């Protein structure tokens, strides 16, 4: 039966009420809730009989803010994590490790980005094995987002590029048949290669070659006086 903590006139509130409401705010499990809780009981005098309990709770809630920041970092939201960590009250023990923690996050993030960029570079050059080797390095990154989401994303990109390359090879094979149906099928296969694919540039070149073959076939039909063809 907690009081309505939002409606209380705090200068007249008792310490027990402050503690009760601070616990209620903290139970929300959010950065804002923990900060409100800390601010609420921090206003009590330094010589208050409950000061030791108050100080202990403040340290616990500050640690929980840092835990939330760490979770945000692990989820891939590094700037949110840094913003959360920097809101921890400066006089708490948790605040003393914020600078070190932020530096570590930035270093991990930069190293992960470098690995991912190296994998992308190998993929652009169609060096699939090298791209895969780089991608597996993400599994060693001490960040859940990079070793799950970004790793799976890169593996999917490599697999898609392999499929596109195979499709391009099949399209070329079909084109060698020099039949209208085969060329139509080849064109559809090549058009299915998306702009983001590292094969896209080569696909556009092949598409032009297929168009040229069609023109040659049309001219041949024209020379045979086969207007329908």
């Amino acid at each position: 039966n907690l009081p309505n903590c939002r409606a209380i006139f705090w200068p007249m509130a008792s310490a027990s009420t402050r503690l009760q409401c601070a616990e209620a705010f903290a139970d929300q499990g959010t950065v804002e809730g923990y900060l409100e809780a800390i601010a609420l009981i921090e206003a009590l005098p330094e010589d208050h009989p409950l000061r030791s309990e108050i100080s202990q709770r403040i340290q616990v809630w500050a640690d929980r803010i840092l835990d939330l920041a760490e979770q945000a970092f692990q989820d891939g939201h590094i700037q949110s994590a840094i913003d959360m960590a920097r809101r921890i009250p400066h006089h708490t023990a948790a605040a003393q490790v914020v600078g070190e923690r932020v530096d570590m996050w930035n270093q991990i993030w930069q190293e992960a980005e470098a690995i991912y960029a190296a994998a992308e570079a190998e993929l652009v050059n169609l060096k699939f094995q090298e791209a895969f080797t780089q991608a597996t390095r993400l599994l060693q990154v001490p960040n859940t987002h990079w070793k799950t989401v970004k790793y799976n994303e890169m593996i999917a990109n490599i697999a898609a590029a392999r499929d596109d390359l195979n499709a391009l090879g099949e399209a070329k094979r079909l084109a060698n048949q020099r039949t209208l149906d085969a060329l139509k099928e080849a064109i559809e296969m090549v058009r299915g290669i998306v702009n983001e694919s590292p094969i896209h540039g080569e696909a556009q070149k092949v598409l032009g070659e297929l168009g040229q073959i069609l023109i040659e076939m049309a001219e041949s039909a024209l020379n045979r006086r086969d207007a329908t063809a």
Side-chain angles (χ1 to χ4, degrees):
N1 297 318
L2 290 177
N4 183 353
C5 295
R6 298 294 180 194
I8 291 174
F9 180 62
W10 291 114
M12 301 296 293
S14 65
S16 60
T17 298
R18 282 180 178 270
L19 281 169
Q20 281 184 308
C21 286
E23 288 285 359
F25 291 150
D27 284 345
Q28 297 174 60
T30 64
V31 173
E32 294 297 338
Y34 290 129
L35 289 173
E36 282 188 290
I38 291 170
L40 198 56
I41 60 175
E42 217 172 26
L44 293 169
E46 286 295 327
D47 58 353
H48 195 280
L50 294 176
R51 174 48 63 179
S52 61
E53 181 182 349
I54 289 168
S55 298
Q56 184 179 5
R57 293 192 191 191
I58 288 173
Q59 296 300 332
V60 168
W61 293 335
D63 285 341
R64 289 180 182 171
I65 295 174
L66 191 58
D67 290 342
L68 289 176
E70 178 66 34
Q71 188 58 56
F73 170 70
Q74 293 296 331
D75 290 341
H77 309 297
I78 184 171
Q79 191 55 54
S80 294
I82 293 171
D83 292 343
M84 287 181 193
R86 287 178 173 164
R87 295 183 69 188
I88 295 172
H90 296 301
H91 61 279
T92 61
Q96 308 310 307
V97 302
V98 166
E100 180 181 336
R101 188 73 65 91
V102 168
D103 288 344
M104 182 182 69
W105 289 340
N106 282 322
Q107 182 179 353
I108 290 171
W109 205 265
Q110 289 166 11
E111 289 174 357
E113 286 180 328
I115 293 170
Y116 196 90
E120 283 186 317
E122 298 290 9
L123 187 55
V124 166
N125 292 320
L126 306 184
K127 296 180 178 179
F128 299 120
Q129 185 55 51
E130 290 83 350
F132 179 77
T133 299
Q134 289 291 344
T136 57
R137 292 177 60 202
L138 291 172
L139 296 174
Q140 307 305 316
V141 173
N143 178 272
T144 303
H145 176 72
W146 282 99
K147 64 184 179 184
T148 56
V149 176
K150 298 302 285 184
Y151 168 77
N152 291 332
E153 179 183 287
M154 178 53 65
I155 294 301
N157 289 344
I158 293 170
R162 282 183 182 274
D163 291 342
D164 288 344
L165 191 60
N166 291 336
L168 203 57
E170 178 62 15
K172 290 178 180 179
R173 188 190 66 77
L174 288 168
N176 289 334
Q177 297 179 20
R178 297 285 177 141
T179 66
L180 183 58
D181 286 342
L183 282 162
K184 286 166 66 177
E185 185 178 351
I187 288 170
E188 287 305 310
M189 292 180 73
V190 176
R191 281 179 173 165
I193 297 174
V194 298
N195 293 352
E196 294 77 17
S197 173
I199 314 297
H200 185 258
E202 181 63 20
Q204 293 304 298
K205 179 181 175 182
V206 170
L207 199 59
E209 293 171 355
L210 295 176
Q212 186 59 42
I213 292 172
L214 283 171
I215 290 174
E216 291 170 1
M217 290 173 62
E219 289 176 339
S220 179
L222 187 61
N223 291 335
R224 298 194 309 270
R225 298 180 182 276
D226 187 349
T228 301

